[in-house]
Amino acid sequence: MYTILKKEILNPTVTKMVIQAPNVAKRAKAGQFIILRVDEQGERIPLTIADADPETGEVSIIYQIVGKTTMALNQKQEGEALQDFVGPLGQPSEIEGERVCVIGGGVGCAIAYPTAKAFHHAGSEVSTIVGFRNQDLVILEDEFKEVSDHYYLMSDDGSVGEKGLVTNKLEELIQNGVQFDKVIAIGPVIMMKFVCEVTKKYNIPTVVSMNPIMIDGTGMCGGCRLKVGDEIKFACVDGPDFDGHLVDFDEAMSRNRAYASFEKHERDEFCNLLNQEVH
Amino acid sequence: MPNMSPKKVEMPVQEPEVRIQNFEEVAIGYTPEMAKEEAERCLHCAHKPCVQGCPVNVNIPDFIQQVKEGDLEEAYRIISLTSSLPAVCGRVCPQESQCEKYCVRGIKTEAVAIGRLERFVADTHRKENDAPLERPISNGHKVAVVGAGPAGLTAAGDLAKMGYEVTVFEALHVAGGVLMYGIPEFRLPKEIVQAEIKHLEELGVDIVTNFVVGRSDTIDSLIDDGFEAIFIGSGAGLPNFMNMPGENLKGVYSANEFLTRINLMKAYVPGSPTPIQNPKRTVVIGGGNVAMDAARCARRLGSEVHIVYRRSLEELPARKEEVEHAMEEGIIFDLLCNPVQVIGDEEGWVKQVECVRMELGEPDASGRRRPIEIANSNFLIDADCMIMAIGTSPNPLIRHTTQGLEVNRRGCLIVDDQEMTSREGIYAGGDAVTGAATVISAMGAGKKGAQSIDAYIKARSNS
């Protein structure tokens, strides 16, 4: 069992948890993820490692409450424990580039943050563009500012930062002559797709962190497979980071919806049970 | 006077129309009377050919003698001397190509039902006298086992019996490997697997789940942590695909994914948080035991099921008994066919599988007649689900994170006749070495690996 040391509400639907998991903390690097099960009957879900300390054995995860399992996870309180917590899984992100732009969308910012931090510590000049639907959903603002040379906050409705999409800001910066060695986009698949459309025009190498459906997370089932260029890749072992200009985003979005009706049913049942609303 | 009946005593089974409605075990098992009657068929040969056919060399005539005499505890003790998982082996071993193949009774009539008797003995023991095993005295030496499948568990059990302090590292949240995620409940109840694993823990084997060797830690850091030898039993769990158009459509599964969702995650149980599609028409590609398991699981989810296999009935690699069970359950065999592409609907789901008919040519290197496509014989099978069961390869994680481990071109670890890899003190066995094979051959390799590790550590500590 893996004890929850700390639970922090970051916004109405996003929560941070610090878990005692020395085996994961020992070797975790930016870009890697864990798989957890909340309880004995639970499903296995992947979540990115937001932070890890090999000294204390603590691992932070940040999750958005989107369905039955994340709701069940959110029911857990400090001092309680999770049934299973395995990792670090996947390839670490490649931290190379003198001038990089890290783009985070919504809860994807939880994954973008450790990446931005790793670039910052590696001495890169880091520009961060984060996007949220509105001001209530903004997370990790101070953390990002600390590791970014330039920080740009966008919101769909203009209630915080600048009104517009992350791609608007990216294109603006490029057109103003900022030369990025690399763009790293982490967020909803549709956002990563549009970021790649922008960077392809300007020929800027772009890495995306994919989030397909996973079961084991160790390469034994291929549930997380993606088309990357002419090849089939398993995101759990070959990724989750891939060359964004080669990923088949439309197929990835389609595959992510495979269990949408099942998930909706489960979520609605659980919502009624908890009398809770999910955004 | 032995029972000279030419046929094995029949094993009671659930009727096909009943069993396709549930995931409970198909074969119900012998009653004590049936077991005794079958045991009487054994001639008690002096040269015991059956024993050589068993990869872990269970002393078969001796345990059967005890079944005849009604001392089932003694029968269990005899089996346990050489086998760590008898209730599993009695169920999933292909006895027809192992112990029973060499049975003298099998020359003219049916062989003695050794597997059924082993299963009966182990089941009776578990139900009637499942006392905890006594923990052997430690010899102070530490050995790590990577992977809690049949090879690793057997190695761990044997080493623990010799007094080693054994730690097994398992990537999934539960030990058992393919016994838990691959072989379905209706062939091998998971409760039985866990009961056998509990015995290993009683022997002092420490099983660490949620630990991915190669990620959570490396082989080399395990050595730094004081493990004097390592046995790698990480299996061959990487699913193969055919790289044909449409293979990434929704509704296309590897058999590993489909079976893991069902067996490990219990996705068929109503209310399970792990989802599984409810297929109406399923096409399973392949003809091995995994294909039969996947097909029979899909049938139990209420689907019509086609097995598409590129050779003929004669070449089907699955056990005959599994093929018969599948046929009884109404699974349709589309033989001498091969898929060429998967056709999807506008939502990205499987709609049809396009196949081509095959004919058999001359025997190939494997000795089997090579299937050849018949030109312009393409046809469509309507389906909303397709399961790829065309084999698996060893997962590259360990070899990619361990210096100096030699592998062959199929990615299998290379070992010498003592099961030692190209690195001193690191042993390997099971599917990680052979590629996908059988449970019992993995157990045989685990047994041999344990003996070699024992010899290695003894030689080292004496020098």
Side-chain angles (χ1 to χ4, degrees):
Chain A
M1 299 290 273
Y2 302 82
T3 307
I4 300 165
L5 301 172
K6 202 171 149 212
K7 181 178 172 187
E8 188 185 340
I9 312 291
L10 299 186
N11 79 28
T13 62
V14 177
T15 306
K16 175 178 171 179
M17 270 185 185
V18 181
I19 312 290
Q20 184 69 39
N23 285 343
V24 180
K26 189 174 167 192
R27 294 172 64 90
K29 295 204 169 58
Q32 291 187 297
F33 66 94
I34 55 95
I35 288 212
L36 66 78
R37 284 202 315 156
V38 177
D39 47 43
E40 191 124 24
Q41 268 68 49
E43 66 174 332
R44 296 169 66 98
I45 62 161
L47 289 170
T48 302
I49 296 167
D51 218 339
D53 185 340
E55 300 297 317
T56 60
E58 295 174 5
V59 178
S60 303
I61 50 170
I62 295 175
Y63 58 88
Q64 183 170 26
I65 305 158
V66 289
K68 182 176 175 176
T69 295
T70 42
M71 280 189 243
L73 178 60
N74 210 44
Q75 293 292 101
K76 291 276 178 188
Q77 304 304 325
E78 284 176 14
E80 291 186 279
L82 304 179
Q83 181 73 30
D84 296 295
F85 195 86
V86 56
L89 301 170
Q91 303 276 6
S93 297
E94 271 182 37
I95 307 299
E96 268 170 35
E98 279 179 30
R99 189 182 256 190
V100 300
C101 181
V102 177
I103 302 178
V107 75
C109 290
I111 317 172
Y113 166 65
T115 303
K117 184 172 145 188
F119 274 107
H120 174 71
H121 288 304
S124 307
E125 182 184 330
V126 181
S127 298
T128 307
I129 308 173
V130 294
F132 299 94
R133 282 215 313 278
N134 60 54
Q135 66 176 24
D136 295 339
L137 302 178
V138 175
I139 57 169
L140 300 174
E141 190 166 12
D142 294 338
E143 286 87 344
F144 269 118
K145 281 181 178 164
E146 208 181 300
V147 299
S148 307
D149 297 277
H150 313 279
Y151 174 78
Y152 307 96
L153 172 60
M154 310 297 290
S155 62
D156 292 6
D157 63 357
S159 56
V160 67
E162 279 180 65
K163 184 175 160 75
L165 302 172
V166 290
T167 41
N168 301 137
K169 177 55 75 182
L170 174 66
E171 192 142 24
E172 180 193 314
L173 292 175
I174 296 169
Q175 283 183 346
N176 288 346
V178 184
Q179 302 219 332
F180 294 116
D181 303 331
K182 195 194 236 178
V183 170
I184 299 98
I186 303 168
V189 181
I190 188 82
M191 180 210 91
M192 296 193 283
K193 177 184 168 172
F194 286 129
V195 166
C196 288
E197 282 180 10
V198 172
T199 57
K200 196 152 193 180
K201 270 198 305 200
Y202 300 97
N203 227 348
I204 305 168
T206 303
V207 174
V208 294
S209 179
M210 298 303 289
N211 51 7
I213 294 172
M214 287 187 190
I215 300 112
D216 62 290
T218 62
M220 64 168 247
C221 87
C224 66
R225 65 194 186 273
L226 299 165
K227 205 182 288 161
V228 181
D230 296 330
E231 290 180 276
I232 301 301
K233 298 279 188 187
F234 289 6
C236 72
V237 288
D238 301 319
D241 290 358
F242 292 101
D243 179 344
H245 294 154
L246 296 178
V247 171
D248 185 337
F249 289 108
D250 293 335
E251 184 184 273
M253 280 187 273
S254 170
R255 286 182 63 79
N256 274 354
R257 285 193 298 268
Y259 298 99
S261 60
F262 175 90
E263 285 157 2
K264 183 178 183 307
H265 174 79
E266 293 290 299
R267 181 176 63 225
D268 292 349
E269 278 210 335
F270 209 71
C271 271
N272 288 337
L273 198 70
L274 299 177
N275 204 11
Q276 191 179 2
E277 208 176 310
V278 169
H279 303 272
Chain B
M1 186 57 198
N3 170 7
M4 290 312 288
S5 162
K7 290 206 169 282
K8 290 175 181 173
V9 174
E10 287 247 15
M11 174 104 103
V13 294
Q14 282 196 68
E15 290 305 316
E17 54 279 11
V18 175
R19 68 189 191 230
I20 59 166
Q21 311 285 336
N22 65 56
F23 275 80
E24 284 155 35
E25 200 170 12
V26 168
I28 296 161
Y30 279 163
T31 61
E33 295 72 30
M34 293 172 185
K36 196 159 187 317
E37 187 186 341
E38 181 61 28
E40 297 285 353
R41 293 185 65 233
C42 175
L43 301 177
H44 222 75
C45 313
H47 64 304
K48 306 176 182 178
C50 50
V51 176
Q52 298 139 41
C54 171
V56 298
N57 304 119
V58 168
N59 194 334
I60 293 162
D62 279 17
F63 98 74
I64 291 183
Q65 182 62 33
Q66 296 304 324
V67 178
K68 278 189 211 172
E69 290 173 13
D71 190 348
L72 297 177
E73 270 312 295
E74 181 58 15
Y76 183 77
R77 197 191 64 79
I78 293 167
I79 298 173
S80 300
L81 290 176
T82 53
S83 172
S84 297
L85 310 164
V88 172
C89 294
R91 286 174 165 81
V92 304
C93 275
Q95 287 99 4
E96 67 278 8
S97 56
Q98 295 176 334
C99 52
E100 295 180 18
K101 182 178 170 184
Y102 298 94
C103 175
V104 168
R105 293 295 306 270
I107 298 170
K108 289 189 177 154
T109 61
E110 283 187 2
V112 175
I114 299 166
R116 294 175 186 178
L117 289 172
E118 180 185 31
R119 166 188 165 146
F120 169 75
V121 169
D123 286 357
T124 308
H125 173 80
R126 192 178 60 256
K127 283 178 206 140
E128 293 180 2
N129 181 22
D130 210 13
L133 297 179
E134 204 176 315
R135 193 173 171 151
I137 298 161
S138 168
N139 65 12
H141 293 288
K142 280 171 68 181
V143 177
V145 171
V146 180
L153 292 176
T154 303
D158 283 15
L159 286 162
K161 285 179 197 165
M162 297 175 204
Y164 290 92
E165 290 179 15
V166 185
T167 307
V168 181
F169 295 96
E170 166 57 43
L172 289 174
H173 57 264
V174 59
V178 76
L179 307 176
M180 289 304 290
Y181 75 75
I183 302 174
E185 190 84 30
F186 56 78
R187 280 217 291 137
L188 179 63
K190 302 306 144 211
E191 197 191 329
I192 289 173
V193 179
Q194 290 308 311
E196 305 237 78
I197 290 171
K198 198 180 89 209
H199 282 313
L200 296 178
E201 292 181 306
E202 287 159 8
L203 288 172
V205 174
D206 185 17
I207 299 179
V208 179
T209 53
N210 293 325
F211 195 104
V212 185
V213 173
R215 290 263 192 256
S216 305
D217 229 333
T218 60
I219 293 277
D220 288 285
S221 56
L222 292 179
I223 294 171
D224 294 342
D225 287 346
F227 290 103
E228 293 164 70
I230 294 181
F231 180 83
I232 301 174
S234 51
L238 186 78
N240 298 341
F241 287 91
M242 289 175 72
N243 297 321
M244 66 180 151
E247 230 173 3
N248 279 6
L249 287 162
K250 286 176 283 188
V252 181
Y253 296 87
S254 72
N256 266 8
E257 178 183 355
F258 192 76
L259 291 170
T260 298
R261 285 177 181 272
I262 289 177
N263 300 323
L264 184 70
M265 306 310 296
K266 298 275 174 282
Y268 63 88
V269 177
S272 163
T274 300
I276 186 90
Q277 190 193 342
N278 274 319
K280 297 203 170 45
R281 289 190 87 190
T282 304
V283 171
V284 179
I285 311 297
N289 288 321
V290 175
M292 299 305 135
D293 285 344
R296 296 172 69 196
C297 283
R299 188 80 184 99
R300 283 160 173 75
L301 296 176
S303 180
E304 177 185 312
V305 183
H306 291 248
I307 283 185
V308 168
Y309 177 60
R310 63 200 181 124
R311 293 184 163 101
S312 69
L313 192 62
E314 221 164 279
E315 289 86 14
L316 270 178
R319 288 187 70 185
K320 206 167 147 250
E321 185 187 329
E322 303 308 324
V323 176
E324 280 167 9
H325 278 158
M327 285 178 168
E328 287 165 11
E329 289 166 12
I331 286 158
I332 301 154
F333 283 71
D334 291 325
L335 300 166
L336 287 165
C337 296
N338 212 26
V340 290
Q341 71 161 325
V342 198
I343 298 161
D345 64 14
E346 52 291 334
E347 301 279 310
W349 282 93
V350 175
K351 191 171 79 174
Q352 287 170 318
V353 181
E354 184 181 335
C355 296
V356 61
R357 297 202 189 278
M358 313 289 281
E359 59 189 355
L360 292 179
E362 293 302 308
D364 63 10
S366 74
R368 294 184 300 176
R369 294 176 66 191
R370 197 167 61 87
I372 304 164
E373 275 188 20
I374 302 174
N376 303 319
S377 65
N378 296 38
F379 65 101
L380 295 169
I381 304 176
D382 288 334
D384 58 353
C385 177
M386 174 158 127
I387 302 168
M388 304 300 295
I390 52 166
T392 54
S393 315
N395 190 314
L397 195 52
I398 287 176
R399 64 174 193 262
H400 284 172
T401 54
T402 313
Q403 290 278 313
L405 270 190
E406 279 177 29
V407 294
N408 68 18
R409 65 190 163 78
R410 291 185 300 139
C412 302
L413 293 168
I414 296 172
V415 296
D416 65 14
D417 57 3
Q418 300 303 310
E419 308 272 343
M420 191 162 89
T421 65
S422 49
R423 288 265 313 260
E424 193 193 318
I426 301 178
Y427 294 76
D431 288 3
V433 168
T434 57
T438 61
V439 168
I440 188 68
S441 65
M443 292 177 57
K447 187 162 232 23
K448 199 167 158 199
Q451 284 159 0
S452 299
I453 285 173
D454 179 46
Y456 166 76
I457 290 181
K458 278 187 179 143
R460 256 187 19 146
S461 37
N462 288 340
S463 61

